[in-house]
Amino acid sequence: MQTLSLNDARKLILLSQQLPPKAQSGSSLANTQHIIEQLGYVQIDTLSVVQRAHHHTLWSRNHRYKPSHLDQLQKDKKVFEYWSHAAAYLPMRDYRFSLYKKQAIKDGRQKHWHNPDPKLMVSILERIKNEGPLMAKDFGDASTSHATANKNAKNKQAKKEWSSNPYKQALETLFMRGDLMIAERRNFHKVYDIAERVIPEHANTSVPNDKEYAAFLVVRFLQAHGIGNASEISYLLKNIKPIVSSTLDEMVEQGDLVRLSVNKMTYYALPTALDLLNKPLSRSKAKILSPFDNLLIQRKRTQALFNFDYLLECYVPAAKRQFGYFCLPILWDGKLVARADCKADKKSGVLKVISLVTEPTLKQRYHHKQSKFMDALEKELQAFAAFNDCQEFHIQQSLETSS
């Protein structure tokens, strides 16, 4: 088993994740499509303290990215929405492998969180087949509940009523089963259509077997992340870890994977991945990352490989927050070295950095480089402000070192 240093492992991971981004040629839209295909998915999130996570994740890898790119790629049938470990945009080339989960839900082998009325599902499906794409508000009293929930997002009862709405439950179940897909979004609201009208004409619609699906998960994860293990590859996927583990062993025996020891832990990589170590990694640029960025969505992995203990504290009571409501990790010199609690105030045109907190390693190991870090961070903050439709940024709390 080959041993890989922690620094080399981090370099391999970052290059696979396309962070920080290199200079790009070609159209910005094509680059966005390439990034989604490289990452395997981009998580969708509704939080909008700063630009939403799916846009932020793509912008971090393509400074020419525009939020309209996702709409265009969805329209061009280059990406589609479904469930990865969470709601996500996925490359259309991987459509066939979404059928594994869809079929399991349809057959009852995998439970879904709703138990809608079957007659209502049939009725909804027929309406969309006959009338074309529809939104939830086009069905019965769903529009009333939706309006109520949006008008007062803090009203828990309104949210409960909306989430238990029979039309919404039926739509979501039809979506998770694969009968319906999301054709587009209008003001971030889903527009549903039958799957046959959303996917490309010649899409592969054969359902993969267990071995095909496991091999797909292994290859896609390692392409995007450089190294991985069975737990990481099967993250939040039910009943799949055993077959992923056996697939990893089989692929090693066949020479399709290599085992690596990193920090006394066993990982796997594609044989060609190690060639990336011969390529340079941009260390002078700072990158402000989304809490839902692919690099750090698995917090245990982030802790093990980057020694960065991260928690999104918007779900934590205010009195118990350590770093702030919406703290964003900051990448620099191949490491996660700081975090900034940010909020985009579009009315004033200011990106507010409520607090900026560095990791102890920045002071201990880079004391002589802290000015370089701040120079890089200020450039990134200015770019991030513009991405959030702000003209400037203000750091409200002086730089402090976390304990």
Side-chain angles (χ1 to χ4, degrees), residues 114 135-150 155-172 189-190 192:
H114 295 315
M135 293 188 284
K137 69 178 185 178
D138 296 316
F139 295 92
D141 60 355
S143 58
T144 302
S145 297
H146 197 200
T148 303
N150 277 344
N155 187 324
K156 293 183 180 180
Q157 184 58 35
K159 285 185 175 181
K160 185 176 180 180
E161 289 175 2
W162 169 234
S163 64
S164 62
N165 183 283
Y167 295 97
K168 181 175 184 288
Q169 289 187 359
L171 284 164
E172 287 191 349
H189 300 313
K190 300 171 185 175
Y192 295 93

PDB file of all heavy atoms in Angstrom, residues 114 135-150 155-172 189-190 192:
ATOM      1  N   HIS A 114     -43.275  10.535   2.279  1.00  0.00           N
ATOM      2  CA  HIS A 114     -44.702  10.816   2.130  1.00  0.00           C
ATOM      3  C   HIS A 114     -45.460   9.533   1.799  1.00  0.00           C
ATOM      4  O   HIS A 114     -44.917   8.612   1.211  1.00  0.00           O
ATOM      5  CB  HIS A 114     -44.944  11.833   1.012  1.00  0.00           C
ATOM      6  CG  HIS A 114     -44.373  13.187   1.289  1.00  0.00           C
ATOM      7  ND1 HIS A 114     -44.508  13.822   2.499  1.00  0.00           N
ATOM      8  CD2 HIS A 114     -43.675  14.043   0.496  1.00  0.00           C
ATOM      9  CE1 HIS A 114     -43.905  15.005   2.446  1.00  0.00           C
ATOM     10  NE2 HIS A 114     -43.394  15.157   1.248  1.00  0.00           N
ATOM     11  N   MET A 135     -46.886  23.939 -11.898  1.00  0.00           N
ATOM     12  CA  MET A 135     -46.296  24.154 -10.583  1.00  0.00           C
ATOM     13  C   MET A 135     -47.261  23.685  -9.501  1.00  0.00           C
ATOM     14  O   MET A 135     -48.444  23.456  -9.770  1.00  0.00           O
ATOM     15  CB  MET A 135     -45.953  25.631 -10.381  1.00  0.00           C
ATOM     16  CG  MET A 135     -44.844  26.129 -11.294  1.00  0.00           C
ATOM     17  SD  MET A 135     -44.295  27.816 -10.893  1.00  0.00           S
ATOM     18  CE  MET A 135     -45.651  28.774 -11.560  1.00  0.00           C
ATOM     19  N   ALA A 136     -46.766  23.572  -8.284  1.00  0.00           N
ATOM     20  CA  ALA A 136     -47.607  23.126  -7.177  1.00  0.00           C
ATOM     21  C   ALA A 136     -48.819  24.029  -7.002  1.00  0.00           C
ATOM     22  O   ALA A 136     -49.907  23.561  -6.659  1.00  0.00           O
ATOM     23  CB  ALA A 136     -46.784  23.063  -5.895  1.00  0.00           C
ATOM     24  N   LYS A 137     -48.640  25.313  -7.237  1.00  0.00           N
ATOM     25  CA  LYS A 137     -49.742  26.255  -7.027  1.00  0.00           C
ATOM     26  C   LYS A 137     -50.888  26.056  -8.022  1.00  0.00           C
ATOM     27  O   LYS A 137     -51.985  26.596  -7.824  1.00  0.00           O
ATOM     28  CB  LYS A 137     -49.239  27.693  -7.111  1.00  0.00           C
ATOM     29  CG  LYS A 137     -48.817  28.124  -8.505  1.00  0.00           C
ATOM     30  CD  LYS A 137     -48.389  29.578  -8.491  1.00  0.00           C
ATOM     31  CE  LYS A 137     -48.065  30.076  -9.898  1.00  0.00           C
ATOM     32  NZ  LYS A 137     -47.696  31.515  -9.898  1.00  0.00           N
ATOM     33  N   ASP A 138     -50.639  25.269  -9.064  1.00  0.00           N
ATOM     34  CA  ASP A 138     -51.681  25.003 -10.053  1.00  0.00           C
ATOM     35  C   ASP A 138     -52.660  23.921  -9.605  1.00  0.00           C
ATOM     36  O   ASP A 138     -53.619  23.617 -10.322  1.00  0.00           O
ATOM     37  CB  ASP A 138     -51.051  24.586 -11.386  1.00  0.00           C
ATOM     38  CG  ASP A 138     -50.213  25.689 -12.003  1.00  0.00           C
ATOM     39  OD1 ASP A 138     -50.677  26.841 -12.004  1.00  0.00           O
ATOM     40  OD2 ASP A 138     -49.092  25.401 -12.466  1.00  0.00           O
ATOM     41  N   PHE A 139     -52.400  23.338  -8.442  1.00  0.00           N
ATOM     42  CA  PHE A 139     -53.240  22.248  -7.961  1.00  0.00           C
ATOM     43  C   PHE A 139     -53.978  22.639  -6.689  1.00  0.00           C
ATOM     44  O   PHE A 139     -53.378  22.881  -5.646  1.00  0.00           O
ATOM     45  CB  PHE A 139     -52.397  21.003  -7.681  1.00  0.00           C
ATOM     46  CG  PHE A 139     -51.762  20.425  -8.910  1.00  0.00           C
ATOM     47  CD1 PHE A 139     -50.482  20.813  -9.282  1.00  0.00           C
ATOM     48  CD2 PHE A 139     -52.444  19.516  -9.705  1.00  0.00           C
ATOM     49  CE1 PHE A 139     -49.892  20.297 -10.416  1.00  0.00           C
ATOM     50  CE2 PHE A 139     -51.865  18.997 -10.846  1.00  0.00           C
ATOM     51  CZ  PHE A 139     -50.587  19.385 -11.205  1.00  0.00           C
ATOM     52  N   GLY A 140     -55.292  22.700  -6.767  1.00  0.00           N
ATOM     53  CA  GLY A 140     -56.143  22.870  -5.595  1.00  0.00           C
ATOM     54  C   GLY A 140     -55.715  23.993  -4.686  1.00  0.00           C
ATOM     55  O   GLY A 140     -55.371  25.088  -5.120  1.00  0.00           O
ATOM     56  N   ASP A 141     -55.704  23.698  -3.377  1.00  0.00           N
ATOM     57  CA  ASP A 141     -55.390  24.707  -2.379  1.00  0.00           C
ATOM     58  C   ASP A 141     -53.908  24.798  -2.100  1.00  0.00           C
ATOM     59  O   ASP A 141     -53.480  25.447  -1.160  1.00  0.00           O
ATOM     60  CB  ASP A 141     -56.144  24.442  -1.072  1.00  0.00           C
ATOM     61  CG  ASP A 141     -55.784  23.085  -0.468  1.00  0.00           C
ATOM     62  OD1 ASP A 141     -55.025  22.336  -1.108  1.00  0.00           O
ATOM     63  OD2 ASP A 141     -56.267  22.790   0.641  1.00  0.00           O
ATOM     64  N   ALA A 142     -53.087  24.129  -2.935  1.00  0.00           N
ATOM     65  CA  ALA A 142     -51.639  24.202  -2.723  1.00  0.00           C
ATOM     66  C   ALA A 142     -51.146  25.624  -2.839  1.00  0.00           C
ATOM     67  O   ALA A 142     -50.247  26.052  -2.127  1.00  0.00           O
ATOM     68  CB  ALA A 142     -50.922  23.311  -3.739  1.00  0.00           C
ATOM     69  N   SER A 143     -51.769  26.400  -3.760  1.00  0.00           N
ATOM     70  CA  SER A 143     -51.303  27.768  -3.960  1.00  0.00           C
ATOM     71  C   SER A 143     -51.523  28.613  -2.707  1.00  0.00           C
ATOM     72  O   SER A 143     -50.710  29.439  -2.341  1.00  0.00           O
ATOM     73  CB  SER A 143     -52.033  28.402  -5.154  1.00  0.00           C
ATOM     74  OG  SER A 143     -53.428  28.373  -4.930  1.00  0.00           O
ATOM     75  N   THR A 144     -52.644  28.381  -2.032  1.00  0.00           N
ATOM     76  CA  THR A 144     -52.922  29.140  -0.811  1.00  0.00           C
ATOM     77  C   THR A 144     -51.900  28.839   0.262  1.00  0.00           C
ATOM     78  O   THR A 144     -51.347  29.730   0.901  1.00  0.00           O
ATOM     79  CB  THR A 144     -54.329  28.793  -0.295  1.00  0.00           C
ATOM     80  OG1 THR A 144     -55.283  29.076  -1.318  1.00  0.00           O
ATOM     81  CG2 THR A 144     -54.653  29.605   0.950  1.00  0.00           C
ATOM     82  N   SER A 145     -51.617  27.555   0.445  1.00  0.00           N
ATOM     83  CA  SER A 145     -50.648  27.181   1.470  1.00  0.00           C
ATOM     84  C   SER A 145     -49.274  27.719   1.148  1.00  0.00           C
ATOM     85  O   SER A 145     -48.548  28.163   2.020  1.00  0.00           O
ATOM     86  CB  SER A 145     -50.586  25.649   1.589  1.00  0.00           C
ATOM     87  OG  SER A 145     -51.827  25.146   2.012  1.00  0.00           O
ATOM     88  N   HIS A 146     -48.915  27.672  -0.136  1.00  0.00           N
ATOM     89  CA  HIS A 146     -47.588  28.128  -0.534  1.00  0.00           C
ATOM     90  C   HIS A 146     -47.439  29.619  -0.280  1.00  0.00           C
ATOM     91  O   HIS A 146     -46.421  30.087   0.229  1.00  0.00           O
ATOM     92  CB  HIS A 146     -47.371  27.801  -2.011  1.00  0.00           C
ATOM     93  CG  HIS A 146     -45.936  27.854  -2.413  1.00  0.00           C
ATOM     94  ND1 HIS A 146     -45.540  27.999  -3.705  1.00  0.00           N
ATOM     95  CD2 HIS A 146     -44.801  27.794  -1.672  1.00  0.00           C
ATOM     96  CE1 HIS A 146     -44.222  28.020  -3.756  1.00  0.00           C
ATOM     97  NE2 HIS A 146     -43.753  27.895  -2.537  1.00  0.00           N
ATOM     98  N   ALA A 147     -48.469  30.366  -0.655  1.00  0.00           N
ATOM     99  CA  ALA A 147     -48.413  31.815  -0.441  1.00  0.00           C
ATOM    100  C   ALA A 147     -48.289  32.140   1.038  1.00  0.00           C
ATOM    101  O   ALA A 147     -47.533  33.021   1.440  1.00  0.00           O
ATOM    102  CB  ALA A 147     -49.668  32.469  -1.027  1.00  0.00           C
ATOM    103  N   THR A 148     -49.038  31.403   1.847  1.00  0.00           N
ATOM    104  CA  THR A 148     -48.980  31.648   3.287  1.00  0.00           C
ATOM    105  C   THR A 148     -47.601  31.375   3.835  1.00  0.00           C
ATOM    106  O   THR A 148     -47.046  32.144   4.620  1.00  0.00           O
ATOM    107  CB  THR A 148     -50.012  30.762   4.011  1.00  0.00           C
ATOM    108  OG1 THR A 148     -51.303  31.035   3.477  1.00  0.00           O
ATOM    109  CG2 THR A 148     -50.006  31.052   5.507  1.00  0.00           C
ATOM    110  N   ALA A 149     -47.007  30.254   3.385  1.00  0.00           N
ATOM    111  CA  ALA A 149     -45.682  29.880   3.888  1.00  0.00           C
ATOM    112  C   ALA A 149     -44.631  30.888   3.479  1.00  0.00           C
ATOM    113  O   ALA A 149     -43.728  31.204   4.247  1.00  0.00           O
ATOM    114  CB  ALA A 149     -45.308  28.486   3.374  1.00  0.00           C
ATOM    115  N   ASN A 150     -44.767  31.432   2.249  1.00  0.00           N
ATOM    116  CA  ASN A 150     -43.781  32.389   1.775  1.00  0.00           C
ATOM    117  C   ASN A 150     -43.961  33.755   2.433  1.00  0.00           C
ATOM    118  O   ASN A 150     -42.993  34.463   2.676  1.00  0.00           O
ATOM    119  CB  ASN A 150     -43.892  32.554   0.258  1.00  0.00           C
ATOM    120  CG  ASN A 150     -43.136  31.463  -0.471  1.00  0.00           C
ATOM    121  OD1 ASN A 150     -42.313  30.789   0.128  1.00  0.00           O
ATOM    122  ND2 ASN A 150     -43.433  31.294  -1.733  1.00  0.00           N
ATOM    123  N   ASN A 155     -43.507  31.543  10.395  1.00  0.00           N
ATOM    124  CA  ASN A 155     -44.725  30.945  10.928  1.00  0.00           C
ATOM    125  C   ASN A 155     -44.649  29.434  10.768  1.00  0.00           C
ATOM    126  O   ASN A 155     -44.862  28.890   9.700  1.00  0.00           O
ATOM    127  CB  ASN A 155     -45.943  31.500  10.175  1.00  0.00           C
ATOM    128  CG  ASN A 155     -47.246  31.044  10.807  1.00  0.00           C
ATOM    129  OD1 ASN A 155     -47.363  29.927  11.291  1.00  0.00           O
ATOM    130  ND2 ASN A 155     -48.225  31.929  10.792  1.00  0.00           N
ATOM    131  N   LYS A 156     -44.318  28.761  11.850  1.00  0.00           N
ATOM    132  CA  LYS A 156     -44.096  27.323  11.783  1.00  0.00           C
ATOM    133  C   LYS A 156     -45.361  26.572  11.401  1.00  0.00           C
ATOM    134  O   LYS A 156     -45.310  25.559  10.709  1.00  0.00           O
ATOM    135  CB  LYS A 156     -43.563  26.815  13.130  1.00  0.00           C
ATOM    136  CG  LYS A 156     -42.175  27.318  13.452  1.00  0.00           C
ATOM    137  CD  LYS A 156     -41.672  26.731  14.761  1.00  0.00           C
ATOM    138  CE  LYS A 156     -40.270  27.234  15.069  1.00  0.00           C
ATOM    139  NZ  LYS A 156     -39.750  26.677  16.345  1.00  0.00           N
ATOM    140  N   GLN A 157     -46.494  27.049  11.834  1.00  0.00           N
ATOM    141  CA  GLN A 157     -47.738  26.369  11.520  1.00  0.00           C
ATOM    142  C   GLN A 157     -48.019  26.427  10.023  1.00  0.00           C
ATOM    143  O   GLN A 157     -48.468  25.443   9.429  1.00  0.00           O
ATOM    144  CB  GLN A 157     -48.907  26.999  12.297  1.00  0.00           C
ATOM    145  CG  GLN A 157     -50.250  26.285  12.097  1.00  0.00           C
ATOM    146  CD  GLN A 157     -50.195  24.831  12.504  1.00  0.00           C
ATOM    147  OE1 GLN A 157     -49.516  24.466  13.451  1.00  0.00           O
ATOM    148  NE2 GLN A 157     -50.900  23.980  11.771  1.00  0.00           N
ATOM    149  N   ALA A 158     -47.742  27.592   9.409  1.00  0.00           N
ATOM    150  CA  ALA A 158     -47.946  27.719   7.965  1.00  0.00           C
ATOM    151  C   ALA A 158     -47.040  26.767   7.216  1.00  0.00           C
ATOM    152  O   ALA A 158     -47.443  26.125   6.245  1.00  0.00           O
ATOM    153  CB  ALA A 158     -47.687  29.168   7.529  1.00  0.00           C
ATOM    154  N   LYS A 159     -45.800  26.657   7.660  1.00  0.00           N
ATOM    155  CA  LYS A 159     -44.867  25.728   7.014  1.00  0.00           C
ATOM    156  C   LYS A 159     -45.351  24.294   7.158  1.00  0.00           C
ATOM    157  O   LYS A 159     -45.235  23.486   6.226  1.00  0.00           O
ATOM    158  CB  LYS A 159     -43.476  25.883   7.634  1.00  0.00           C
ATOM    159  CG  LYS A 159     -42.730  27.129   7.195  1.00  0.00           C
ATOM    160  CD  LYS A 159     -41.324  27.112   7.769  1.00  0.00           C
ATOM    161  CE  LYS A 159     -40.534  28.297   7.239  1.00  0.00           C
ATOM    162  NZ  LYS A 159     -39.153  28.292   7.758  1.00  0.00           N
ATOM    163  N   LYS A 160     -45.861  23.971   8.350  1.00  0.00           N
ATOM    164  CA  LYS A 160     -46.330  22.610   8.584  1.00  0.00           C
ATOM    165  C   LYS A 160     -47.502  22.286   7.658  1.00  0.00           C
ATOM    166  O   LYS A 160     -47.594  21.200   7.080  1.00  0.00           O
ATOM    167  CB  LYS A 160     -46.751  22.460  10.047  1.00  0.00           C
ATOM    168  CG  LYS A 160     -47.148  21.049  10.424  1.00  0.00           C
ATOM    169  CD  LYS A 160     -47.456  20.960  11.908  1.00  0.00           C
ATOM    170  CE  LYS A 160     -47.857  19.535  12.299  1.00  0.00           C
ATOM    171  NZ  LYS A 160     -48.166  19.434  13.735  1.00  0.00           N
ATOM    172  N   GLU A 161     -48.412  23.250   7.513  1.00  0.00           N
ATOM    173  CA  GLU A 161     -49.564  23.048   6.641  1.00  0.00           C
ATOM    174  C   GLU A 161     -49.113  22.848   5.196  1.00  0.00           C
ATOM    175  O   GLU A 161     -49.637  22.000   4.476  1.00  0.00           O
ATOM    176  CB  GLU A 161     -50.502  24.252   6.736  1.00  0.00           C
ATOM    177  CG  GLU A 161     -51.234  24.345   8.061  1.00  0.00           C
ATOM    178  CD  GLU A 161     -52.051  25.607   8.175  1.00  0.00           C
ATOM    179  OE1 GLU A 161     -52.065  26.390   7.198  1.00  0.00           O
ATOM    180  OE2 GLU A 161     -52.677  25.822   9.236  1.00  0.00           O
ATOM    181  N   TRP A 162     -48.114  23.636   4.763  1.00  0.00           N
ATOM    182  CA  TRP A 162     -47.649  23.522   3.385  1.00  0.00           C
ATOM    183  C   TRP A 162     -46.953  22.187   3.153  1.00  0.00           C
ATOM    184  O   TRP A 162     -47.185  21.503   2.158  1.00  0.00           O
ATOM    185  CB  TRP A 162     -46.709  24.680   3.070  1.00  0.00           C
ATOM    186  CG  TRP A 162     -45.960  24.524   1.760  1.00  0.00           C
ATOM    187  CD1 TRP A 162     -44.626  24.593   1.589  1.00  0.00           C
ATOM    188  CD2 TRP A 162     -46.512  24.294   0.469  1.00  0.00           C
ATOM    189  NE1 TRP A 162     -44.299  24.403   0.268  1.00  0.00           N
ATOM    190  CE2 TRP A 162     -45.446  24.219  -0.434  1.00  0.00           C
ATOM    191  CE3 TRP A 162     -47.818  24.123  -0.014  1.00  0.00           C
ATOM    192  CZ2 TRP A 162     -45.627  23.986  -1.800  1.00  0.00           C
ATOM    193  CZ3 TRP A 162     -48.000  23.895  -1.370  1.00  0.00           C
ATOM    194  CH2 TRP A 162     -46.919  23.833  -2.244  1.00  0.00           C
ATOM    195  N   SER A 163     -46.117  21.775   4.097  1.00  0.00           N
ATOM    196  CA  SER A 163     -45.373  20.532   3.913  1.00  0.00           C
ATOM    197  C   SER A 163     -46.287  19.317   3.948  1.00  0.00           C
ATOM    198  O   SER A 163     -45.952  18.274   3.402  1.00  0.00           O
ATOM    199  CB  SER A 163     -44.290  20.396   4.995  1.00  0.00           C
ATOM    200  OG  SER A 163     -44.881  20.302   6.271  1.00  0.00           O
ATOM    201  N   SER A 164     -47.466  19.441   4.608  1.00  0.00           N
ATOM    202  CA  SER A 164     -48.395  18.327   4.674  1.00  0.00           C
ATOM    203  C   SER A 164     -49.477  18.415   3.603  1.00  0.00           C
ATOM    204  O   SER A 164     -50.404  17.612   3.578  1.00  0.00           O
ATOM    205  CB  SER A 164     -49.046  18.272   6.065  1.00  0.00           C
ATOM    206  OG  SER A 164     -49.793  19.451   6.305  1.00  0.00           O
ATOM    207  N   ASN A 165     -49.363  19.382   2.714  1.00  0.00           N
ATOM    208  CA  ASN A 165     -50.352  19.555   1.662  1.00  0.00           C
ATOM    209  C   ASN A 165     -50.385  18.314   0.770  1.00  0.00           C
ATOM    210  O   ASN A 165     -49.353  17.867   0.276  1.00  0.00           O
ATOM    211  CB  ASN A 165     -49.997  20.796   0.842  1.00  0.00           C
ATOM    212  CG  ASN A 165     -51.033  21.086  -0.222  1.00  0.00           C
ATOM    213  OD1 ASN A 165     -51.066  20.429  -1.245  1.00  0.00           O
ATOM    214  ND2 ASN A 165     -51.866  22.073   0.029  1.00  0.00           N
ATOM    215  N   PRO A 166     -51.547  17.721   0.529  1.00  0.00           N
ATOM    216  CA  PRO A 166     -51.616  16.469  -0.243  1.00  0.00           C
ATOM    217  C   PRO A 166     -51.116  16.612  -1.679  1.00  0.00           C
ATOM    218  O   PRO A 166     -50.550  15.664  -2.231  1.00  0.00           O
ATOM    219  CB  PRO A 166     -53.101  16.107  -0.200  1.00  0.00           C
ATOM    220  CG  PRO A 166     -53.816  17.381   0.143  1.00  0.00           C
ATOM    221  CD  PRO A 166     -52.875  18.149   1.011  1.00  0.00           C
ATOM    222  N   TYR A 167     -51.320  17.777  -2.289  1.00  0.00           N
ATOM    223  CA  TYR A 167     -50.853  17.978  -3.657  1.00  0.00           C
ATOM    224  C   TYR A 167     -49.331  18.012  -3.709  1.00  0.00           C
ATOM    225  O   TYR A 167     -48.708  17.409  -4.592  1.00  0.00           O
ATOM    226  CB  TYR A 167     -51.431  19.280  -4.232  1.00  0.00           C
ATOM    227  CG  TYR A 167     -52.926  19.243  -4.392  1.00  0.00           C
ATOM    228  CD1 TYR A 167     -53.761  19.793  -3.420  1.00  0.00           C
ATOM    229  CD2 TYR A 167     -53.512  18.670  -5.508  1.00  0.00           C
ATOM    230  CE1 TYR A 167     -55.137  19.756  -3.550  1.00  0.00           C
ATOM    231  CE2 TYR A 167     -54.893  18.637  -5.666  1.00  0.00           C
ATOM    232  CZ  TYR A 167     -55.697  19.177  -4.684  1.00  0.00           C
ATOM    233  OH  TYR A 167     -57.064  19.138  -4.818  1.00  0.00           O
ATOM    234  N   LYS A 168     -48.727  18.720  -2.750  1.00  0.00           N
ATOM    235  CA  LYS A 168     -47.275  18.797  -2.706  1.00  0.00           C
ATOM    236  C   LYS A 168     -46.676  17.414  -2.438  1.00  0.00           C
ATOM    237  O   LYS A 168     -45.684  17.029  -3.053  1.00  0.00           O
ATOM    238  CB  LYS A 168     -46.819  19.781  -1.635  1.00  0.00           C
ATOM    239  CG  LYS A 168     -45.311  19.940  -1.540  1.00  0.00           C
ATOM    240  CD  LYS A 168     -44.944  21.016  -0.533  1.00  0.00           C
ATOM    241  CE  LYS A 168     -43.437  21.247  -0.505  1.00  0.00           C
ATOM    242  NZ  LYS A 168     -42.714  20.143   0.126  1.00  0.00           N
ATOM    243  N   GLN A 169     -47.278  16.661  -1.529  1.00  0.00           N
ATOM    244  CA  GLN A 169     -46.788  15.318  -1.228  1.00  0.00           C
ATOM    245  C   GLN A 169     -46.850  14.424  -2.461  1.00  0.00           C
ATOM    246  O   GLN A 169     -45.913  13.669  -2.748  1.00  0.00           O
ATOM    247  CB  GLN A 169     -47.619  14.701  -0.095  1.00  0.00           C
ATOM    248  CG  GLN A 169     -47.363  15.325   1.257  1.00  0.00           C
ATOM    249  CD  GLN A 169     -48.080  14.574   2.371  1.00  0.00           C
ATOM    250  OE1 GLN A 169     -48.784  13.606   2.112  1.00  0.00           O
ATOM    251  NE2 GLN A 169     -47.902  15.019   3.597  1.00  0.00           N
ATOM    252  N   ALA A 170     -47.939  14.528  -3.197  1.00  0.00           N
ATOM    253  CA  ALA A 170     -48.086  13.713  -4.403  1.00  0.00           C
ATOM    254  C   ALA A 170     -47.066  14.102  -5.473  1.00  0.00           C
ATOM    255  O   ALA A 170     -46.450  13.242  -6.117  1.00  0.00           O
ATOM    256  CB  ALA A 170     -49.506  13.849  -4.951  1.00  0.00           C
ATOM    257  N   LEU A 171     -46.867  15.405  -5.646  1.00  0.00           N
ATOM    258  CA  LEU A 171     -45.886  15.880  -6.626  1.00  0.00           C
ATOM    259  C   LEU A 171     -44.472  15.415  -6.269  1.00  0.00           C
ATOM    260  O   LEU A 171     -43.724  14.955  -7.127  1.00  0.00           O
ATOM    261  CB  LEU A 171     -45.936  17.406  -6.725  1.00  0.00           C
ATOM    262  CG  LEU A 171     -47.103  17.997  -7.502  1.00  0.00           C
ATOM    263  CD1 LEU A 171     -47.250  19.481  -7.200  1.00  0.00           C
ATOM    264  CD2 LEU A 171     -46.926  17.781  -9.007  1.00  0.00           C
ATOM    265  N   GLU A 172     -44.121  15.555  -4.997  1.00  0.00           N
ATOM    266  CA  GLU A 172     -42.777  15.156  -4.574  1.00  0.00           C
ATOM    267  C   GLU A 172     -42.564  13.651  -4.723  1.00  0.00           C
ATOM    268  O   GLU A 172     -41.483  13.198  -5.098  1.00  0.00           O
ATOM    269  CB  GLU A 172     -42.529  15.594  -3.130  1.00  0.00           C
ATOM    270  CG  GLU A 172     -42.323  17.094  -2.986  1.00  0.00           C
ATOM    271  CD  GLU A 172     -41.819  17.486  -1.610  1.00  0.00           C
ATOM    272  OE1 GLU A 172     -41.818  16.621  -0.703  1.00  0.00           O
ATOM    273  OE2 GLU A 172     -41.435  18.645  -1.443  1.00  0.00           O
ATOM    274  N   HIS A 189     -39.341  28.457  -7.859  1.00  0.00           N
ATOM    275  CA  HIS A 189     -40.394  27.464  -7.666  1.00  0.00           C
ATOM    276  C   HIS A 189     -40.287  26.395  -8.747  1.00  0.00           C
ATOM    277  O   HIS A 189     -40.055  26.690  -9.927  1.00  0.00           O
ATOM    278  CB  HIS A 189     -41.780  28.126  -7.717  1.00  0.00           C
ATOM    279  CG  HIS A 189     -41.976  29.178  -6.670  1.00  0.00           C
ATOM    280  ND1 HIS A 189     -41.647  28.971  -5.349  1.00  0.00           N
ATOM    281  CD2 HIS A 189     -42.471  30.445  -6.749  1.00  0.00           C
ATOM    282  CE1 HIS A 189     -41.926  30.062  -4.652  1.00  0.00           C
ATOM    283  NE2 HIS A 189     -42.422  30.973  -5.483  1.00  0.00           N
ATOM    284  N   LYS A 190     -40.501  25.155  -8.375  1.00  0.00           N
ATOM    285  CA  LYS A 190     -40.356  24.026  -9.290  1.00  0.00           C
ATOM    286  C   LYS A 190     -41.500  23.973 -10.298  1.00  0.00           C
ATOM    287  O   LYS A 190     -42.659  24.184  -9.946  1.00  0.00           O
ATOM    288  CB  LYS A 190     -40.333  22.715  -8.505  1.00  0.00           C
ATOM    289  CG  LYS A 190     -39.203  22.616  -7.493  1.00  0.00           C
ATOM    290  CD  LYS A 190     -39.381  21.393  -6.603  1.00  0.00           C
ATOM    291  CE  LYS A 190     -38.329  21.345  -5.508  1.00  0.00           C
ATOM    292  NZ  LYS A 190     -38.562  20.224  -4.560  1.00  0.00           N
ATOM    293  N   TYR A 192     -43.028  21.195 -12.827  1.00  0.00           N
ATOM    294  CA  TYR A 192     -42.958  19.749 -13.069  1.00  0.00           C
ATOM    295  C   TYR A 192     -43.461  19.384 -14.461  1.00  0.00           C
ATOM    296  O   TYR A 192     -44.415  19.977 -14.972  1.00  0.00           O
ATOM    297  CB  TYR A 192     -43.818  19.002 -12.041  1.00  0.00           C
ATOM    298  CG  TYR A 192     -43.343  19.128 -10.616  1.00  0.00           C
ATOM    299  CD1 TYR A 192     -43.848  20.128  -9.784  1.00  0.00           C
ATOM    300  CD2 TYR A 192     -42.418  18.241 -10.085  1.00  0.00           C
ATOM    301  CE1 TYR A 192     -43.434  20.237  -8.455  1.00  0.00           C
ATOM    302  CE2 TYR A 192     -41.999  18.334  -8.765  1.00  0.00           C
ATOM    303  CZ  TYR A 192     -42.516  19.342  -7.957  1.00  0.00           C
ATOM    304  OH  TYR A 192     -42.098  19.448  -6.658  1.00  0.00           O
TER     305      TYR A 192
END
